[in-house]
Amino acid sequence: YEKEEGTLRELRIFLREICAKLARNRQFFMFTKPVDVQEVPDYLSIIKQPMDLETMMTKIDLHRYLCAQDFLDDVDLLCRNALEYNPDRDPADKLIRHRACSLRDTAYTLIKAEMDSDFEEQCKEISRAR
Ligand SMILES: CC(=O)c1csc(NC(=O)C2C[NH2+]C2)n1
């Protein structure tokens, strides 16, 4: 059991670094914090499950992610939300959609490049057993 806790600790350290790296990228600034409903009043009427990088960092510390794919599922949610809320052809929407896709691809590439595949397998095994 202690070995499992060590594995999950290592996962959290890894995910914090990935999340921090994404949040440092100025291209992704609109995804770093929850959408402010004062500024974007209709956001919550369209997006039912908001997600952002600050919330994901908090979820790491709350032990909500038991494997890297759990974290990538929230990256996918963040990206899908941006595509749904910004569907139009106008440049502002297109830019946000482009940045959301770039964040998603960057997250997947960073994790695949820096994560040992059998480490993820170990994490998934722990996740399945719990
Ligand atoms: C986080 C997110 O997806 C977001 C924040 S503001 C925004 N879109 C706009 O402000 C307008 C551009 N067309 C609507 N999207």
Side-chain angles (χ1 to χ4, degrees):
Y1 173 77
E2 264 326 296
K3 187 172 179 318
E4 287 186 0
E5 285 314 299
T7 302
L8 294 178
R9 198 171 302 121
E10 196 176 333
L11 173 71
R12 290 194 293 275
I13 292 165
F14 173 75
L15 292 179
R16 285 190 192 95
E17 178 46 40
I18 297 290
C19 202
K21 202 173 285 185
L22 293 170
R24 280 198 296 269
N25 187 329
R26 282 181 301 287
Q27 300 222 344
F28 305 146
F29 81 91
M30 69 283 278
F31 306 119
T32 52
K33 294 211 182 306
V35 170
D36 182 344
V37 285
Q38 307 303 322
E39 290 162 22
V40 193
D42 68 340
Y43 189 77
L44 294 181
S45 64
I46 296 169
I47 299 303
K48 295 310 166 197
Q49 196 182 354
M51 190 44 65
D52 65 278
L53 292 171
E54 184 182 74
T55 299
M56 291 169 69
M57 189 67 93
T58 301
K59 285 181 74 170
I60 295 170
D61 296 343
L62 294 173
H63 299 198
R64 291 280 193 281
Y65 301 126
L66 287 179
C67 61
Q69 190 55 53
D70 288 347
F71 178 87
L72 289 170
D73 289 350
D74 271 351
V75 168
D76 291 337
L77 172 60
L78 184 158
C79 180
R80 241 187 356 265
N81 287 345
L83 301 186
E84 283 162 23
Y85 187 72
N86 299 281
D88 303 337
R89 72 149 303 283
D90 71 81
D93 281 31
K94 281 189 174 172
L95 180 65
I96 292 182
R97 291 203 300 271
H98 177 75
R99 295 284 175 77
C101 294
S102 174
L103 186 151
R104 182 200 57 209
D105 293 343
T106 303
Y108 271 86
T109 303
L110 275 179
I111 286 177
K112 294 281 183 281
E114 292 178 29
M115 181 168 233
D116 204 306
S117 55
D118 69 81
F119 180 81
E120 173 69 349
E121 224 7 78
Q122 278 176 53
C123 292
K124 284 192 175 158
E125 185 49 42
I126 296 169
S127 177
R128 281 192 286 266
R130 292 197 176 187

